[in-house]
Amino acid sequence: MTENNRIIIFIGLFLTLISTRTVDASVVSTGDFNKDFFVTWSPGHVNTSADGKTMSLKLDQESGAGFASNQMFLFGQIDMQIKLVPGHSAGTVVAYYLTSDQPNRDEVDYEFLGNVEGKPYILQTNIFADGLDDREERINLWFDPTKDFHTYSILWNLHQIVFMVDWVPIRVYRNHADKGVAFPRWQPMSIKASLWNGDSWATGGGRDKIDWSKGPFIASFRNHTIDACVWKGNPRFCRADSPTNWWNEERFGTLSNAQRRLFKWVRKYHMIYDYCEDKERFQGNLPKECSLPKY
């Protein structure tokens, strides 16, 4: 990363952070994985620190593993610090996402695609709305995500879904439901994470397989914050204007000027795939949202 890029990110982050949420009353997480989440599969491949502040998932030839939140949510912001599988991680997939788990599910995905040693991780994001996806975007991160923990966030409100990496917005999916574009706005979603074998597709289109001699593969999670509306059966509570529902405030209805500069920087220098540019895939008939504003 050049010095100019570092300066741009620093200034952008400063301007972004001073404009972010300041209300703590809406935080519903305890910070303890044992209290906020449960293991969904292969408990023998999950390790939680004694204080509950850190959880790690293991992948080997026997199994991967996963966990999910005890509650479901409708709108808010979710932050999770993740340290990805180091070294030769080809074929591995670390997923961190929101999902409604319905037949016509809504889902908001981070998928970290491992790579052969020496090549960068690929971060893929995707959105399901009313059961339909095919909205993949991919970027190369501007840092090594295996050396330390980094914060991956999802801001979800009635106006937009924003994916952020260390507070830098990397993707925006705007609510254009009034123009016939599906948007997740009715189904509550839980928070899930998993580490699994995706070597049929994840690295080099499936050419690079997992080298089990390099395992076991470990991904670690810590410092989660769930600042969201807990689902209690009626969406009006989560849509209401109130001090705790800060995400409904007008200033969170679109990116700030500082966020837009950072967003454009990511798109220009780090994006490697955008479904909205893939005319061959969609046979010239790109999804409707591709021609509509992102903010």
Side-chain angles (χ1 to χ4, degrees):
M1 185 189 301
T2 67
E3 188 63 28
N4 284 341
N5 284 343
R6 290 191 181 94
I7 293 171
I8 289 170
I9 290 179
F10 175 80
I11 294 172
L13 286 175
F14 174 76
L15 293 173
T16 298
L17 287 171
I18 63 175
S19 65
T20 54
R21 66 186 190 269
T22 57
V23 177
D24 293 328
S26 55
V27 176
V28 296
S29 52
T30 67
D32 187 333
F33 278 93
N34 292 319
K35 296 179 180 178
D36 295 331
F37 296 91
F38 66 95
V39 176
T40 52
W41 55 295
S42 194
H45 286 64
V46 180
N47 182 58
T48 308
S49 62
D51 61 4
K53 302 298 184 184
T54 302
M55 178 176 280
S56 61
L57 302 179
K58 179 175 72 173
L59 170 67
D60 57 23
Q61 284 181 286
E62 178 185 336
S63 179
F67 61 87
S69 60
N70 291 321
Q71 296 174 306
M72 302 188 79
F73 311 93
L74 186 66
F75 307 129
Q77 182 164 314
I78 315 299
D79 307 320
M80 182 78 75
Q81 289 191 344
I82 306 174
K83 185 178 182 181
L84 297 176
V85 176
H88 188 96
S89 58
T92 68
V93 177
V94 176
Y96 155 57
Y97 58 108
L98 307 179
T99 182
S100 65
D101 284 328
Q102 299 297 317
N104 61 328
R105 77 182 186 275
D106 291 338
E107 192 167 293
V108 181
D109 294 339
Y110 279 97
E111 292 179 311
F112 303 91
L113 312 182
N115 216 331
V116 297
E117 192 160 6
K119 291 189 176 181
Y121 251 92
I122 292 173
L123 170 52
Q124 174 171 285
T125 58
N126 196 6
I127 291 175
F128 288 70
D130 294 336
L132 301 175
D133 64 332
D134 291 336
R135 298 184 177 94
E136 298 92 345
E137 293 185 2
R138 291 184 174 189
I139 67 168
N140 285 327
L141 294 166
W142 51 94
F143 54 84
D144 184 344
T146 72
K147 296 297 185 184
D148 202 353
F149 286 88
H150 292 267
T151 303
Y152 303 91
S153 305
I154 298 169
L155 170 65
W156 172 34
N157 59 35
L158 275 169
H159 310 287
Q160 61 179 353
I161 295 170
V162 184
F163 296 77
M164 293 175 283
V165 176
D166 291 336
W167 314 114
V168 175
I170 64 164
R171 180 174 185 175
V172 179
Y173 184 75
R174 190 136 193 92
N175 184 352
H176 289 298
D178 60 334
K179 298 178 178 65
V181 178
F183 183 86
R185 56 196 171 123
W186 296 108
Q187 300 184 51
M189 295 194 274
S190 60
I191 306 162
K192 292 189 175 184
S194 58
L195 171 58
W196 46 283
N197 178 357
D199 70 4
S200 64
W201 65 276
T203 309
R207 293 188 302 274
D208 297 302
K209 304 297 185 182
I210 292 180
D211 182 351
W212 296 110
S213 70
K214 306 291 186 181
F217 304 97
I218 307 291
S220 300
F221 303 77
R222 74 177 188 188
N223 291 351
H224 65 280
T225 301
I226 305 171
D227 194 350
C229 183
V230 177
W231 177 251
K232 296 181 180 179
N234 192 327
R236 70 182 180 88
F237 296 110
C238 300
R239 292 165 173 261
D241 291 327
S242 71
T244 53
N245 291 357
W246 58 265
W247 47 85
N248 289 334
E249 294 179 13
E250 183 178 354
R251 64 191 177 119
F252 296 106
T254 189
L255 297 186
S256 68
N257 289 333
Q259 287 177 316
R260 292 181 189 189
R261 287 194 290 272
L262 289 169
F263 176 72
K264 290 176 180 177
W265 173 80
V266 171
R267 311 288 282 189
K268 182 176 181 179
Y269 294 105
H270 297 280
M271 173 163 276
I272 57 175
Y273 177 80
D274 180 358
Y275 74 107
C276 281
E277 301 292 333
D278 197 342
K279 294 181 180 179
E280 181 179 354
R281 175 184 180 184
F282 294 100
Q283 299 180 336
N285 188 25
L286 292 173
K288 192 171 184 177
E289 66 266 21
C290 295
S291 62
L292 297 172
K294 294 187 181 297
Y295 44 76

